[in-house]
Amino acid sequence: MRRPQRRALAKQSRAKDGDEIRLLEAWIDAGKPLPGTKPPPPSEESSAANARARARDVVAKAAAGDYSDYGASTRFDELPLSKKTKDALRKAGYKEMSEIQRAALPHALCGHDVLGAAKTGSGKTLAFVIPVIEKLYREKWSQEDGVGCIILSPTNDLAGQIWEVVRKVGKHHNFSGGAIVKRTGIEQEKERINSLNILVCTPGRLVQHFDETPNFDCSNLQILVLDEADQILDKNFKSQVDIILSQIPKARQTLLFSATQTKSVKDLARVSLKNPEYISVHEQASTATPDNLEQCAMIVPLEQKLNMLWSFIKRHLKSKILVFLSSVKQVKFVYEIFKKLRPGIPLKCMHGRMKYEVQQAIVAEFSESTSVLFSTDIFSRGLDIGNVDWVVQVDCPESVALYIHRVGRTARYNKKGKSLIFLCPEEERMLEKLKATESKIPINVRKPKVEQLEQISQNVAAVLVKFPNLQQLGKRAFVTYLKSVYLQGDKEVFDLSRFSAESFAAYASSLGLPVTPKIRFVSHKKNVSKKDMKDIDVKQMKHKAEVIEINPQVNRYMLADDGPDDDILYPKKPNTDANIYDGLDDILSPKVPGTDTHMEPEKIDE
Ligand SMILES: Nc1ncnc2c1ncn2[C@@H]1O[C@H](COP(=O)(O)OP(=O)(O)OP(=O)(O)O)[C@@H](O)[C@H]1O
């Protein structure tokens, strides 16, 4: 007897939806902002009761055919959104819109393409998630309609986080979807992917489906979203993004968001935006980083970095600290050594070679506890962890943009935060870049307090004697650090030839290593160029490597010592942890009904 009742309720709900959709469409059309317009500054703060009454009034007027210009709204409940979305937003505690949401939502809701830029932690995710949900709702999208929206993110972790926001905002709707983030279950996923309405994934994983999943069909796609758009459109993702763009319809809405937006016309031409709205809410701001962020830099010689980091942690035992290092080996080594030395605060580490589930567990633990998390750049963009007190950059970021994303893991959405960057004297050019007027980064340079610096290299050396496997790891950390400097494109900042042989020896000693690992620079007889190097079988070359010298002047490629293949130097590619694009680790998590990452189909409005 329950079934007919459920069916009747579903029918009733659909009829109700139909009425609401008609109202929303009329409202969106009648009150839509003109192209190129920005919202007026919000009027004087009114009381919460007034705001609620104003919102009720706006909705009642719309129902009576008197449509407001929602482009001036300050609250979510004043926008032409479905009741299901408004209820979910209210329950999640979202009432007032942030600047980027005020500016972008009215345009995105009425179907414009949007290119949105706003500082880190300013609420860009809701600015694209809400229009996605609303568009599919107004199109009466159902499972049978297949993939209606693709949201591309540069990493699995960020895809998972975006999916959680989609789930939260869409919880009263009937769409299916998921973050495509786990390798296991690909076969199961292939069977289901065509019935998912919203896919959140990295470009690499999506391409894998275009290649491997028979009948994978995106011909009905309504919206494409690129989060961290500047990164998705850069050269590392180019071939994957080109494949995706060739497989999806041109008649679609496209939303691009990032804290450091691409301005390259060539990049934008690739995504074929139609009369896009360029929304850059903080363009006139005096800083490119959050206002509540206090930033400082210290010039620290390479061999003092570990001492400095240790001393910093010891002086901030009650803080939540996120530490960026340049490679997986660095992260593992510093984590293992500090764990043995016990600074008096819980330590964690995260990098792209970990299983997605492990990463998720670490992120969850880190969100909830006072601790130190050592991480590669897998964590630098988009991830939203509450209450990070400090971001410490032990190794120099590859660009000013990456610096902005890394420090943006703290001081999120009106919260306060602090950041510290260690720069070697050889990398001072980066300091000039950060301090340049156009970078708009208010950074103070502080002198390290020598009296507060604890020298730990002897303790580290003692740990290495006790745990020989750590000695091997230390050696790898040394090699990969040099390798990462060598691989960086910006040679004004990253130039191994500026470091002396003595500083390498001192650095090795600071890592507790009894001797400086031998780094082999292969000077190829034929003077191989970087371009030609791509065609060389690096493994084969390794066996007959002509080891010459540590001489950064020669036109050379560096081969690591006799370690495993991942220490061989070869041109930078996507899908390596150093580059944070975890394409190879992209794994799909199938959205099986009943699992908690599935938007339940056919759920009736509560
Ligand atoms: N209108 C709002 N009211 C209250 N909190 C909000 C609002 N919008 C977003 N937030 C919160 O602000 C935090 C940052 O939001 P979000 O992750 O979307 O920032 P972002 O701009 O995408 O940052 P990034 O550039 O680092 O990716 C999140 O915890 C989110 O829940």
Side-chain angles (χ1 to χ4, degrees), residues 410-421:
T410 184
R412 296 180 70 72
Y413 210 84
N414 305 335
K415 299 216 179 82
K416 288 188 174 165
K418 293 181 182 172
S419 73
L420 171 63
I421 180 168

Side-chain angles (χ1 to χ4, degrees), residues 76 93-98 100-101 118-126 158 161 168 227-228 258-259 381-384 405 408-409 412-413:
F76 291 109
Y94 299 127
K95 289 175 189 149
E96 298 285 337
M97 286 185 272
S98 69
I100 182 68
Q101 292 158 359
K119 292 180 187 182
T120 53
S122 59
K124 293 185 287 295
T125 315
L126 282 180
L158 186 52
Q161 183 183 290
K168 204 174 353 175
D227 191 19
E228 307 297 342
S258 183
R381 276 181 179 251
L383 288 184
D384 184 48
H405 286 281
R409 296 320 98 209
R412 296 180 70 72
Y413 210 84

